[in-house]
Amino acid sequence: MLKGNCVVAQSGGPSAVINASLAGVISEALKSDYIETVYGSHNGIEGILNNNLINLNELFEGKQDDLDLLKITPAMFLGSCRHKMSEDENDEEYNIIFNVFREKNIKYFFYIGGNDSMDTVLKLSQIAAARQEDVIFMGVPKTIDNDLPITDHTPGFGSAAKFIATSIYEMSFDFDVYDKEGVLIVEVMGRNAGWLTASSVLARVGGRTAPQLIYLPEVAFDEDKFIEDIKTKMKEHKQVVVAVSEGIKNQDGKYISAQSENKDKFGHVMLNGAGKYLERLVADRLACKVRSVELNILQRGSAHLLSRTDNNEAFILGSEAVVAATAGHTGEMTIVKRMCNNPYSVKVDTCPIGDVANQEKKVPLEWITSEGNDVTDEMISYLEPLILGEAELEYEKGLPKYYYL
Amino acid sequence: MLKGNCVVAQSGGPSAVINASLAGVISEALKSDYIETVYGSHNGIEGILNNNLINLNELFEGKQDDLDLLKITPAMFLGSCRHKMSEDENDEEYNIIFNVFREKNIKYFFYIGGNDSMDTVLKLSQIAAARQEDVIFMGVPKTIDNDLPITDHTPGFGSAAKFIATSIYEMSFDFDVYDKEGVLIVEVMGRNAGWLTASSVLARVGGRTAPQLIYLPEVAFDEDKFIEDIKTKMKEHKQVVVAVSEGIKNQDGKYISAQSENKDKFGHVMLNGAGKYLERLVADRLACKVRSVELNILQRGSAHLLSRTDNNEAFILGSEAVVAATAGHTGEMTIVKRMCNNPYSVKVDTCPIGDVANQEKKVPLEWITSEGNDVTDEMISYLEPLILGEAELEYEKGLPKYYYL
């Protein structure tokens, strides 16, 4: 087995539990006989390119309380980046990276991130193989979007789902206080995959009825049908709550959005305003009160409401990446396999990184109702276990206590 | 003392603890020797006008667990209204109300609400006196806006403040993950009074720096100064978090808002979009990443994050209204007097309803910094105790358990 130092980094958008995966990597790496110094790279791969590494042994060795606090701290302790690696494998940035690895005797690289980050792991592991560099590359999945294939679900998703379900559940109490017809539109994150929006259905599991309508980006959105759906639901419920994905598109594939469409450097359309657009549409077509709420970045970093199931799995997928790497695996990502729904149990495994990089797992169409405005019981069974359990937070001066320097 | 039945009702906008006040009224009324049946009026005073009363003895007598659950349930169990009472004291609606009171032998009326609701209590108590009707009227304060005079603060404010502070604290972790300049604008509720926006300062009490800028409606907002403020703060912090009230106005008293100004029937301007407007302004003037987040109705009903201090006080202000009423007080509202900041202690008292109805307590200008972009230490001392303590929630299937029929 390789023996030397390791680097861990985080990339992509924040979540409530990506630091739990970091804590998992650090915890296991500090114990490992194959790893001496554990470096953290600031701002993902850019920390290696800019020689901005931090010694994590100094911060966390013998400090279990700090590691425990890191585990429940939202967002990304090491910072993030959205750096896209060059398609040219002779690009100078690859030389810089492997030079840093040699200089610092780095034998293991752990990258916690989503689709784009796994693309980085894939490219680096391929180039390492081609150049016969003795460095092992392991990915640890992270994305609130739950859109990575192979793994049953991704860390970060369960906590975001718990926030979305709880918020809509609580807003349903708020929204039905007036004795008059109204529509509440809640815009949920998710560009192409509707998992987050689907999780709004969990607001109903206790017996309440909101959200009455759920629209995912997997099904073409029809404005006239939407207005008819609201009218139908309003016959039963004066106040109709609608959960809608930011990424809903019409049948021509055009985003339902009040704003212009700009693209980020990964070629993703930056969205804003599906909820606001639909609010105006309802105001225009129906004579009733209407409000839209955008859950925005609250849904991805509200660690005070994290799912303990999600938090624990994120930690284990981090620690198991170290176990697999020091057993010789490279170019892989840790994954969750669901063994049983009730009682919920999972097994941790790994898969080749090529199977997940740049892939997107959408909601299966058979988990969406034929009307295209709700999800099925199979979806509920899939989602239910993922939001179970709460954080054990300590509060200081009324705020949750988190880890930061 | 009067002996008979009582009615309790809720009015105005929801909060995380208005049901705690309801639980306080019910709890004390069920114990009282002067009160037989406790009626709840659906949708505020409209429940009396429409003969839509519910027998609360049947629901809660001997059911302490249900009352405990009601105490932590967000929004308004009895529903709300925004009914403005006629200025004409001979209006038929007053005859209807006093007829219902006589028919149902109602001797006590408890109204939980904000400025507008206290106007209803004032009018009804004046007409009762003029008509020599034997009915006692008591107000119980409620408003997240904290804009009622006389009382040190209002139930609902502390929990909203805790949500606002926690959200901005958590978003500050999210927003600083990228190594580049950015501005996060958080729009907070509060039309004319800046208490809620001021409470964002509590995100800093643990030692973090966000929000770096805080703008309240009490100070005229200058767009050029705002851009300069951001530039100045950006020299110290790459990522600047700004808390801004929905009700900020320019020096001509015009709302800083991206949208048209509509008025509700109380003559209040309905606002939308100060945050979005400033987002566009920053994008236009500064070459950096900018995002705006509207906390929207999440900030008033997120009972999972309620302040236990607030929750307990809301309950006591409800129960003490019954104690005062059955001791003969009428045309009054229960209030909180702060005795000490550290250790925090309060005394409950009552004040004449005429002193609070239709009044608005704004933030004192001496609690705002001379630059107009932050609050002072006096404000922090005032706010700090109000968000202390957490709810003891039970979770079912991953969601907080609340009371509903």
Side-chain angles (χ1 to χ4, degrees), chain A residues 92-263:
Chain A
E92 180 58 17
E93 67 180 4
Y94 292 109
N95 299 334
I96 296 173
I97 290 170
F98 284 101
N99 279 341
V100 171
F101 286 171
R102 277 190 302 266
E103 275 167 27
K104 300 239 182 237
N105 192 32
I106 286 161
K107 298 296 179 192
Y108 299 96
F109 178 69
F110 302 101
Y111 212 18
I112 312 168
N115 326 46
D116 298 319
S117 316
M118 294 309 133
D119 176 63
T120 299
V121 176
L122 176 64
K123 289 202 173 91
L124 287 172
S125 63
Q126 286 170 338
I127 292 174
R131 298 186 183 184
Q132 296 185 297
E133 296 275 1
D134 268 345
V135 186
I136 273 179
F137 295 89
M138 282 294 291
V140 181
K142 174 278 336 174
T143 168
I144 63 165
D145 290 324
N146 197 37
D147 61 353
L148 291 182
I150 318 293
T151 189
D152 178 75
H153 54 277
T154 57
F157 173 63
S159 295
K162 189 181 183 95
F163 181 87
I164 292 161
T166 304
S167 298
I168 293 181
Y169 171 68
E170 290 186 330
M171 285 194 285
S172 78
F173 286 83
D174 182 296
F175 202 66
D176 70 6
V177 302
Y178 295 109
D179 185 31
K180 55 183 177 187
E181 291 180 341
V183 179
L184 175 67
I185 298 163
V186 184
E187 183 187 311
V188 182
M189 281 182 167
R191 245 179 219 105
N192 300 313
W195 298 104
L196 287 169
T197 307
S199 68
S200 66
V201 74
L202 298 177
R204 291 205 299 246
V205 295
R208 291 184 64 87
T209 56
Q212 284 81 17
L213 294 166
I214 300 173
Y215 298 96
L216 311 187
E218 281 82 357
V219 175
F221 186 85
D222 183 297
E223 296 185 10
D224 296 327
K225 171 75 165 55
F226 168 68
I227 295 294
E228 288 310 310
D229 286 350
I230 290 175
K231 284 184 187 166
T232 304
K233 291 293 172 186
M234 222 170 234
K235 287 174 189 155
E236 282 174 66
H237 313 277
K238 273 193 179 170
Q239 294 89 15
V240 176
V241 179
V242 181
V244 66
S245 163
E246 63 174 348
I248 50 167
K249 303 170 203 73
N250 66 18
Q251 58 182 5
D252 300 326
K254 207 170 140 26
Y255 285 107
I256 305 291
S257 161
Q259 310 228 342
S260 62
E261 293 174 18
N262 300 313
K263 290 188 177 181

Side-chain angles (χ1 to χ4, degrees), chain B residues 72-106:
Chain B
I72 54 150
T73 298
M76 299 151 93
F77 176 65
L78 293 173
S80 184
C81 70
R82 290 215 177 258
H83 183 92
K84 191 156 175 65
M85 299 299 294
S86 172
E87 294 297 329
D88 173 11
E89 63 181 51
N90 294 313
D91 191 286
E92 179 59 16
E93 67 180 1
Y94 293 109
N95 300 334
I96 296 173
I97 289 170
F98 285 99
N99 280 341
V100 170
F101 286 171
R102 279 189 301 268
E103 276 168 26
K104 301 239 181 234
N105 192 33
I106 286 160

Side-chain angles (χ1 to χ4, degrees), chain A residues 12 43 75 80 82 162 169-170 173-174 177-178 206 272 276 291-292 296 300 302 304 390 398 400 402 404, chain B residues 43 75 80 82 162 169-170 173-174 177-178 206 272 276 291-292 296 300 302 304 390 395 398 400 402 404:
Chain A
N43 299 110
S80 183
R82 289 213 179 261
K162 189 181 183 95
Y169 171 68
E170 290 186 330
F173 286 83
D174 182 296
V177 302
Y178 295 109
N272 202 341
K276 200 49 105 180
R291 181 190 279 271
S292 71
N296 216 314
R300 72 183 182 196
S302 293
H304 74 271
E390 287 72 49
Y402 297 137
Y404 56 94
Chain B
N43 299 110
S80 184
R82 290 215 177 258
K162 190 181 181 95
Y169 171 68
E170 290 185 330
F173 285 83
D174 183 296
V177 303
Y178 295 109
N272 203 339
K276 200 50 108 182
R291 181 190 279 271
S292 71
N296 215 314
R300 72 184 184 196
S302 293
H304 75 271
E390 287 71 50
Y395 280 78
Y402 296 137
Y404 56 93

Side-chain angles (χ1 to χ4, degrees), chain B residues 91-379:
Chain B
D91 191 286
E92 179 59 16
E93 67 180 1
Y94 293 109
N95 300 334
I96 296 173
I97 289 170
F98 285 99
N99 280 341
V100 170
F101 286 171
R102 279 189 301 268
E103 276 168 26
K104 301 239 181 234
N105 192 33
I106 286 160
K107 298 296 178 193
Y108 299 96
F109 178 68
F110 302 101
Y111 212 18
I112 312 168
N115 326 46
D116 298 320
S117 315
M118 293 309 131
D119 177 63
T120 299
V121 176
L122 176 64
K123 288 200 172 94
L124 288 172
S125 62
Q126 286 170 338
I127 293 174
R131 297 186 184 184
Q132 295 185 298
E133 295 277 2
D134 268 345
V135 187
I136 273 178
F137 294 89
M138 282 295 290
V140 181
K142 174 276 341 171
T143 168
I144 64 164
D145 290 324
N146 197 38
D147 60 354
L148 292 182
I150 318 292
T151 188
D152 178 76
H153 54 277
T154 57
F157 172 64
S159 295
K162 190 181 181 95
F163 181 87
I164 291 161
T166 303
S167 297
I168 292 181
Y169 171 68
E170 290 185 330
M171 284 194 285
S172 78
F173 285 83
D174 183 296
F175 202 66
D176 70 6
V177 303
Y178 295 109
D179 185 32
K180 55 183 175 187
E181 291 181 340
V183 178
L184 175 67
I185 298 162
V186 184
E187 183 187 312
V188 181
M189 282 181 166
R191 244 179 221 105
N192 300 314
W195 299 104
L196 287 169
T197 307
S199 68
S200 66
V201 74
L202 297 177
R204 290 205 299 246
V205 294
R208 290 181 67 86
T209 56
Q212 284 80 17
L213 294 165
I214 300 174
Y215 298 96
L216 311 187
E218 282 82 358
V219 175
F221 186 85
D222 182 300
E223 296 185 9
D224 295 326
K225 172 76 164 58
F226 168 67
I227 296 294
E228 289 310 310
D229 286 351
I230 290 175
K231 284 184 188 168
T232 304
K233 291 292 173 188
M234 223 170 234
K235 287 175 192 156
E236 282 173 66
H237 313 277
K238 272 192 180 173
Q239 295 88 16
V240 175
V241 179
V242 181
V244 66
S245 163
E246 63 174 347
I248 50 167
K249 303 171 203 74
N250 66 18
Q251 58 183 5
D252 301 326
K254 205 169 139 31
Y255 285 108
I256 306 290
S257 161
Q259 310 226 340
S260 62
E261 293 174 16
N262 300 311
K263 288 187 178 182
D264 69 15
K265 62 178 152 185
F266 290 100
H268 301 151
V269 173
M270 293 174 70
L271 296 179
N272 203 339
K276 200 50 108 182
Y277 176 81
L278 294 180
E279 177 186 332
R280 287 171 200 162
L281 182 73
V282 170
D284 186 51
R285 301 265 195 103
L286 300 171
C288 71
K289 183 182 141 192
V290 58
R291 181 190 279 271
S292 71
V293 173
E294 195 184 340
L295 295 181
N296 215 314
I297 59 174
L298 294 165
Q299 69 201 286
R300 72 184 184 196
S302 293
H304 75 271
L305 201 59
L306 60 75
S307 151
R308 185 194 282 260
T309 300
D310 184 31
N311 190 249
N312 287 339
E313 288 178 354
F315 183 90
I316 292 165
L317 288 174
S319 63
E320 286 297 314
V322 176
V323 171
T326 53
H329 293 246
T330 187
E332 296 184 357
M333 183 187 84
T334 47
I335 60 168
V336 173
K337 285 183 173 180
R338 188 181 305 219
M339 308 312 286
C340 183
N341 262 341
N342 194 4
Y344 175 70
S345 71
V346 295
K347 221 181 95 180
V348 172
D349 203 343
T350 62
C351 78
I353 199 86
D355 293 353
V356 287
N358 304 309
Q359 307 285 322
E360 216 171 26
K361 181 178 71 179
K362 297 191 181 188
V363 171
L365 292 180
E366 54 283 18
W367 286 9
I368 303 172
T369 58
S370 56
E371 289 255 24
N373 59 18
D374 206 340
V375 298
T376 66
D377 289 344
E378 289 90 332
M379 174 63 98

Side-chain angles (χ1 to χ4, degrees), chain A residues 29-81:
Chain A
L30 288 177
K31 284 192 292 200
S32 172
D33 293 336
Y34 302 100
I35 295 174
E36 285 153 18
T37 302
V38 185
Y39 291 106
S41 170
H42 272 298
N43 299 110
I45 195 74
E46 288 177 357
I48 299 172
L49 289 165
N50 304 327
N51 202 11
N52 192 358
L53 301 181
I54 176 176
N55 185 319
L56 296 173
N57 293 54
E58 289 172 7
L59 278 184
F60 293 108
E61 200 146 37
K63 293 185 181 158
Q64 189 60 43
D65 285 357
D66 284 349
L67 261 183
D68 290 346
L69 209 52
L70 177 66
K71 188 186 170 201
I72 54 151
T73 298
M76 299 151 93
F77 175 64
L78 293 172
S80 183
C81 69

